[in-house]
Amino acid sequence: MLKFFNRNKQNTIDELDINNLPKHIGIIMDGNGRWAKKRGLPRSAGHRAGAKVLEQITRDAGHLGIRFLTVYAFSTENWKRPSDEVEALMKLLSEYLDDYKRLIGDEDIRVKIIGSYDGLSEEIIAKIKNIEEQTKNNSAITLNIALNYGGRDEIVKACQKISEKIKDGSITPENVTEDMISENLYTNYMPDPDFIIRPSGEYRLSNFLLWQSAYSEFWYSNILWPDFTRDDLIKAIIDYQKRNRRYGGV
Ligand code: IPE
Ligand code: IPE
Ligand code: MG
């Protein structure tokens, strides 16, 4: 897969250890608004530029051999934004969901949407189901788009599902395990993220993959998401490969 990358002098790809790639990368795609502001453009132009970068980075991650990429596109808290911005974001998401070829091209990318359907229009929900169906047999990389996603909301929903089982008597409270909680999260078909990237100079999770990130490695940068490149992704992964993951051991 690495043949897709140009091994020229600016590229640090030779330092990459393909035997130690993160299986699952999470990206908090932040900084679109500031990118647009710097250029005197409306915030929606920043979101559009950010979506283009997502197309490219998904392909790059697939070519590198990353199996799961989870990107934060819209949080449960983003509804607080002015209605014109929320509308512009939903329109953009809707366009991409509609025309999934635009997002994945001819690549072997499976698209899944994680998050709550609460508050999403029927039209968007139908499009989510369609893109998941159309891409379900693709297997090189799974792109999970976190849409109307909140880590706390996800954990609450898992607790509700488990509580139902306690109520109907199929389990007792003592039977509740960490695995049971993981199995009731949106992310139950993938491993926890090994590596979480947040551009834009903010040093927080903003309600992204709270349960799943217990032992994730983090990488922060001042780059604004629409400026994020394949080389930044490679540099971040090289940095990840220098980390010593101990999981509480020695
Ligand atoms: C991230 O960019 C995209 C979404 C949250 C939808 P922002 O819109 O948060 O950009 P900044 O943080 O204001 O620059
Ligand atoms: C996190 O970014 C959500 C997404 C990237 C979709 P925000 O811009 O919403 O996060 P805060 O408000 O800076 O914490
Ligand atoms: Mg932001």
Side-chain angles (χ1 to χ4, degrees), residues 28-220:
I28 301 174
M29 304 187 291
D30 198 14
N32 297 349
R34 279 164 281 177
W35 182 92
K37 192 170 179 205
K38 263 176 44 184
R39 288 163 179 75
L41 296 169
R43 292 176 62 85
S44 57
H47 296 315
R48 230 160 241 289
K52 270 267 157 248
V53 169
L54 172 61
E55 284 175 37
Q56 189 55 49
I57 292 294
T58 304
R59 287 164 207 197
D60 294 335
H63 298 160
L64 280 172
I66 306 299
R67 301 305 310 275
F68 294 91
L69 178 67
T70 302
V71 296
Y72 209 3
F74 190 88
S75 78
T76 46
E77 288 69 37
N78 287 146
W79 296 106
K80 292 180 196 160
R81 297 189 176 201
S83 59
D84 60 339
E85 182 173 353
V86 171
E87 269 166 39
L89 276 164
M90 289 297 152
K91 186 165 173 273
L92 185 62
L93 284 161
S94 184
E95 274 174 39
Y96 271 89
L97 292 172
D98 233 359
D99 181 7
Y100 73 95
K101 283 277 178 201
R102 182 154 154 191
L103 183 64
I104 69 171
D106 294 322
E107 310 272 334
D108 190 16
I109 301 168
R110 171 170 75 143
V111 181
K112 300 277 280 177
I113 312 296
I114 58 166
S116 169
Y117 285 174
D118 301 344
L120 296 182
S121 68
E122 288 300 324
E123 200 192 343
I124 289 207
I125 295 170
K127 288 178 184 180
I128 288 173
K129 291 182 178 156
N130 181 53
I131 199 170
E132 291 186 334
E133 178 62 26
Q134 297 291 339
T135 63
K136 71 176 184 207
N137 294 323
N138 295 351
S139 60
I141 182 169
T142 299
L143 169 67
N144 307 291
I145 304 177
L147 166 57
N148 198 19
Y149 173 88
R152 289 187 173 184
D153 177 63
E154 179 185 36
I155 293 168
V156 167
K157 287 195 163 71
C159 292
Q160 287 169 343
K161 286 188 225 157
I162 295 168
S163 307
E164 282 299 328
K165 286 195 185 145
I166 295 175
K167 202 168 124 194
D168 73 20
S170 55
I171 57 164
T172 65
E174 295 71 34
N175 296 142
V176 177
T177 60
E178 291 190 7
D179 281 348
M180 197 180 287
I181 294 179
S182 296
E183 282 157 18
N184 282 287
L185 301 176
Y186 300 122
T187 49
N188 56 11
Y189 55 90
M190 60 180 120
D192 286 341
D194 303 291
F195 192 36
I196 294 182
I197 294 173
R198 181 163 192 163
S200 94
E202 310 295 352
Y203 300 86
R204 53 180 173 257
L205 264 181
S206 302
N207 210 6
F208 186 54
L209 301 179
L210 295 185
W211 174 272
Q212 301 87 335
S213 62
Y215 275 100
S216 302
E217 297 293 328
F218 290 91
W219 194 83
Y220 295 101

